[in-house]
Amino acid sequence: NRKQNGIYWIWLTDDEKPFPVYCDMAAGGWTMAFKAVSGVKENVYSTYTSGQTYHEKVLAALDVTNSYFNDYKNRIVLKWKDFGASEARVVLYKGGKLMKESKFNAKGSDKLNWFSLSRLSQSSWFDLRSQPKNYFSIAGEPTHGRRFFINRNYGGCQADNGWMMVVTGHICSWEKRFLPTKNVILYSKKPVYTNWNTYSNVGVADVMAVYLR
């Protein structure tokens, strides 16, 4: 039983050739299906929902850092149900170190609806289930360009509170500070939600990884 994190070769069906994936074995055998890198030019939602893979066979992409400065997506996202996962996991990394994670029940899910409050099973933010929310989805709020968005409430920018998102637009001052960079992965550093204007409590992750097992 290998417990070493790294690159493994797998296949989803008997009639296809194996392809490389990154596996987090130390955490219990998780296979990475998608990795967003903060600051890349491609829109994270378009990349995730498109009908194609991205840098699937680039071995340099298969880690938890931003050293290969592109998003990564393998065929597991496209063949979500064929993989037959029972659990999904979102992990935010900075400098290769795990900062926050949330786990979900993936049984019977598709590539979009697994990321939802009803499927949440565990999180680094202990208030994520109990607090009210106005957004909890991958689609998030398209008008403002907030994807993979878990937010508590809006209050005219100054009173916006939440847990995580990938910023693809720049509407409020707490987003405009990153101009011209897009696809910035933000998260609450606290064990609870934070006000997005309290910059000392807002982390910028290098990587957001989606795992299945």
Side-chain angles (χ1 to χ4, degrees):
N1 293 326
R2 295 179 64 187
K3 297 296 183 181
Q4 184 176 353
N5 295 345
I7 298 172
Y8 291 76
W9 293 76
I10 67 170
W11 58 90
L12 299 183
T13 60
D14 292 337
D15 60 351
E16 70 177 18
K17 294 181 179 180
F19 61 100
V21 295
Y22 176 83
C23 291
D24 183 348
M25 302 302 290
W30 294 89
T31 302
M32 182 188 291
F34 178 76
K35 183 177 83 169
V37 174
S38 196
V40 301
K41 63 180 181 179
E42 292 82 6
N43 181 284
V44 65
Y45 185 73
S46 298
T47 299
Y48 183 80
T49 58
S50 75
Q52 64 188 64
T53 62
Y54 286 80
H55 310 108
E56 182 185 59
K57 297 181 180 179
V58 179
L59 299 185
L62 296 176
D63 64 17
V64 297
T65 76
N66 62 356
S67 57
Y68 183 76
F69 200 68
N70 287 285
D71 289 342
Y72 160 84
K73 174 184 168 186
N74 65 36
R75 70 193 71 179
I76 293 173
V77 179
L78 306 182
K79 300 180 179 180
W80 190 273
K81 293 185 178 180
D82 290 342
F83 190 79
S86 60
E87 294 179 274
R89 175 176 172 236
V90 175
V91 183
L92 305 181
Y93 295 97
K94 192 173 185 66
K97 180 182 178 182
L98 187 154
M99 306 308 293
K100 297 289 182 179
E101 67 175 338
S102 296
K103 296 178 182 178
F104 301 83
N105 174 10
K107 294 179 180 177
S109 68
D110 60 35
K111 68 181 182 181
L112 292 174
N113 67 18
W114 63 271
F115 189 82
S116 62
L117 177 61
S118 64
R119 290 182 173 275
L120 179 69
S121 60
Q122 185 179 341
S123 180
S124 300
W125 298 292
F126 68 79
D127 67 337
L128 187 51
R129 184 177 294 280
S130 61
Q131 287 291 324
K133 281 160 283 291
N134 62 344
Y135 288 95
F136 196 138
S137 69
I138 290 175
E141 189 187 11
T143 303
H144 288 8
R146 297 164 184 165
R147 307 295 194 168
F148 286 88
F149 192 24
I150 309 179
N151 202 60
R152 185 184 186 278
N153 65 273
Y154 280 163
C157 287
Q158 291 303 310
D160 293 347
N161 298 283
W163 293 269
M164 69 170 283
M165 74 181 82
V166 183
V167 174
T168 64
H170 303 91
I171 304 299
C172 294
S173 59
W174 51 264
E175 298 163 304
K176 289 179 180 178
R177 67 188 178 113
F178 298 107
L179 280 168
T181 307
K182 294 187 177 182
N183 297 295
V184 180
I185 303 164
L186 301 182
Y187 66 95
S188 170
K189 293 180 181 179
K190 300 166 63 179
V192 296
Y193 73 86
T194 191
N195 184 296
W196 295 117
N197 298 277
T198 308
Y199 299 157
S200 60
N201 290 334
V202 178
V204 178
D206 296 333
V207 163
M208 178 189 72
V210 174
Y211 293 94
L212 298 177
R213 70 174 181 184

